[in-house]
Amino acid sequence: MARKTGSNGEKTRAAVEEAAIRLIARHGFAAVSMRQIAREVGVQAGALYLYTPDKQSLLFDIMRGHMEHLLASWEAEAPDPATPAVARLERLVRFHIDYHIHRPEKVFISYMELRNLEPDNFAEIERLRRAYEGVLEDILRAGAADGVFHMEDARITTMAMIAMLTGVSTWYRDSGRLQPAAIAAHYVDMAFRLVGGARIAQAAE
Amino acid sequence: MARKTGSNGEKTRAAVEEAAIRLIARHGFAAVSMRQIAREVGVQAGALYLYTPDKQSLLFDIMRGHMEHLLASWEAEAPDPATPAVARLERLVRFHIDYHIHRPEKVFISYMELRNLEPDNFAEIERLRRAYEGVLEDILRAGAADGVFHMEDARITTMAMIAMLTGVSTWYRDSGRLQPAAIAAHYVDMAFRLVGGARIAQAAE
């Protein structure tokens, strides 16, 4: 996809993506027009096509960007694979909660708008989602192999744990009773419970 | 809301609701018109207004109907409140998985379209959601009081468990590796793990 480069172009590109995320999260992909996005950014509708060839590409770029950034962010802070599974799980849970709590709109879109991806685009997003699920599944299997985690079915436990953790983005509010660090500590505790690991992690106050 | 009564009227009303659920789940509420729903049902657009005054009422009725039916279905099969918490939790988990696995579109809409409810309607749906969350929270608190469940924070455990269980509707496929009863058994096992309950439930094959 052709992108205008340079500082102003990059700024506008970011503004286009931010406006699209805001509008799609609010109204849904099918109800949002390129014209509406242009108006939100403050550019002419025609100018939008300097940044994206069409609405489908824009959606795909948002969803792929979200998943690639998620994977890259984890890579950047993942412990060495030789690290014991217990420590890797704790790190991944804290990372996942922190990442998802601060991006409710992107998380919402990346789940809700799967239905609007064209088949090739859907396949690519599925591949990235599987890669991320694989990160967790590998840790769970490593812990099971070491005898520190116990579970009936690593695949179902992976899916259940991801749903449990990601759910935080549906109810978390900045004004709520608990701060993000305390919430993360609770989820670490619950993640260890799910895999029958020792209760190494205590909930912080 | 005025509803045409009698057998044909009821059939059409059900057809309107089914068509609306299908279209909203596919395209999102904001992108679906009353005209489209009428076409899907095979009636004139004007005829739709015999069944619902407007699109907002239709959405609210779908979402309220879903939550009320969920609560009533649980009431119909809930064990006596004097039943030990362990047995009540197992029953609720099996009920929740079975209910949600078979209604992916309604589950999807009832989460995704909260944003499109007018304030009074949103408040009513929130009240019903809280009531259902309360069913689980009461069981968890009863088990904690009896010393059979152990958790750091009953409210967060409730939200985490509901997200974990409901997540099944995002990945379950009829053609998948596991049958619903086996999946439910795994989730019962995981629910007990979350509250540190004895592993009473074994995953079925």
Side-chain angles (χ1 to χ4, degrees), chain B residues 167-183:
Chain B
V168 75
S169 70
T170 66
W171 61 261
Y172 174 76
R173 298 291 174 270
D174 286 338
S175 58
R177 171 169 70 91
L178 293 168
Q179 294 303 301
I183 291 171

Side-chain angles (χ1 to χ4, degrees), chain A:
Chain A
M1 156 185 168
R3 278 176 178 167
K4 207 175 158 180
T5 52
S7 146
N8 280 339
E10 281 306 309
K11 267 187 212 158
T12 308
R13 200 187 60 73
V16 167
E17 192 172 299
E18 277 162 33
I21 290 167
R22 209 157 47 231
L23 288 169
I24 293 171
R26 178 69 196 86
H27 305 288
F29 175 76
V32 174
S33 68
M34 291 291 267
R35 187 168 296 276
Q36 239 177 313
I37 296 168
R39 198 184 316 130
E40 182 92 356
V41 179
V43 298
Q44 297 289 322
L48 222 53
Y49 294 92
L50 295 171
Y51 302 98
T52 186
D54 52 42
K55 207 171 67 146
Q56 172 69 208
S57 303
L58 188 54
L59 178 64
F60 177 55
D61 282 350
I62 288 169
M63 293 177 75
R64 185 179 51 185
H66 174 67
M67 287 309 302
E68 285 179 348
H69 188 262
L70 173 69
L71 283 158
S73 301
W74 168 246
E75 279 306 311
E77 70 171 80
D80 188 278
T83 308
V86 164
R88 286 159 68 204
L89 179 59
E90 172 161 355
R91 190 87 73 92
L92 181 61
V93 171
R94 288 188 191 279
F95 164 78
H96 188 94
I97 294 290
D98 182 66
Y99 197 93
H100 286 75
I101 227 170
H102 293 111
R103 291 168 179 81
E105 289 186 330
K106 280 191 188 175
V107 172
F108 183 62
I109 288 175
S110 77
Y111 160 62
M112 168 184 77
E113 298 298 0
L114 284 171
R115 62 187 167 169
N116 279 314
L117 290 173
E118 287 169 4
D120 286 358
N121 292 344
F122 179 82
E124 173 62 8
I125 300 300
E126 272 293 283
R127 190 186 67 75
L128 292 166
R129 291 168 72 99
R130 293 257 170 184
Y132 186 70
E133 291 158 16
V135 167
L136 176 57
E137 193 172 335
D138 287 349
I139 294 173
L140 299 189
R141 288 188 189 278
D146 291 347
V148 292
F149 295 159
H150 308 275
M151 67 205 84
E152 303 283 347
D153 186 305
R155 180 76 194 144
I156 290 200
T157 303
T158 299
M159 299 307 285
M161 197 181 287
I162 287 182
M164 177 182 88
L165 300 176
T166 305
V168 75
S169 71
T170 67
W171 62 261
Y172 174 75
R173 298 291 174 270
D174 286 337
S175 57
R177 172 168 69 90
L178 293 169
Q179 294 303 302
I183 292 171
H186 282 302
Y187 278 88
V188 168
D189 172 66
M190 293 188 289
F192 277 104
R193 286 164 177 251
L194 260 193
V195 291
R199 263 195 265 151
I200 294 134
Q202 295 298 320
E205 286 313 307

Side-chain angles (χ1 to χ4, degrees), chain B residues 92-127:
Chain B
L92 181 60
V93 170
R94 287 188 190 280
F95 164 80
H96 189 93
I97 294 290
D98 182 66
Y99 197 93
H100 286 75
I101 226 170
H102 293 111
R103 292 168 179 82
E105 289 186 329
K106 279 190 190 177
V107 172
F108 184 63
I109 289 174
S110 77
Y111 160 62
M112 169 185 75
E113 298 297 1
L114 284 171
R115 63 187 167 170
N116 278 314
L117 290 172
E118 288 169 4
D120 286 359
N121 292 343
F122 179 82
E124 173 62 8
I125 299 301
E126 272 293 283
R127 190 186 66 77

Side-chain angles (χ1 to χ4, degrees), chain B residues 62-176:
Chain B
I62 288 169
M63 293 178 74
R64 186 179 53 187
H66 174 66
M67 286 309 302
E68 285 179 348
H69 188 262
L70 173 69
L71 283 159
S73 301
W74 168 246
E75 279 305 312
E77 68 171 79
D80 188 278
T83 308
V86 164
R88 286 158 70 203
L89 179 58
E90 172 160 357
R91 190 84 74 90
L92 181 60
V93 170
R94 287 188 190 280
F95 164 80
H96 189 93
I97 294 290
D98 182 66
Y99 197 93
H100 286 75
I101 226 170
H102 293 111
R103 292 168 179 82
E105 289 186 329
K106 279 190 190 177
V107 172
F108 184 63
I109 289 174
S110 77
Y111 160 62
M112 169 185 75
E113 298 297 1
L114 284 171
R115 63 187 167 170
N116 278 314
L117 290 172
E118 288 169 4
D120 286 359
N121 292 343
F122 179 82
E124 173 62 8
I125 299 301
E126 272 293 283
R127 190 186 66 77
L128 292 166
R129 291 168 73 99
R130 294 256 167 183
Y132 186 70
E133 291 159 15
V135 167
L136 175 57
E137 193 171 335
D138 286 350
I139 293 174
L140 299 189
R141 287 187 189 279
D146 291 348
V148 293
F149 295 159
H150 308 276
M151 67 205 83
E152 303 284 346
D153 185 305
R155 180 74 194 148
I156 288 201
T157 303
T158 298
M159 299 308 284
M161 196 181 288
I162 287 182
M164 176 183 88
L165 300 175
T166 305
V168 75
S169 70
T170 66
W171 61 261
Y172 174 76
R173 298 291 174 270
D174 286 338
S175 58

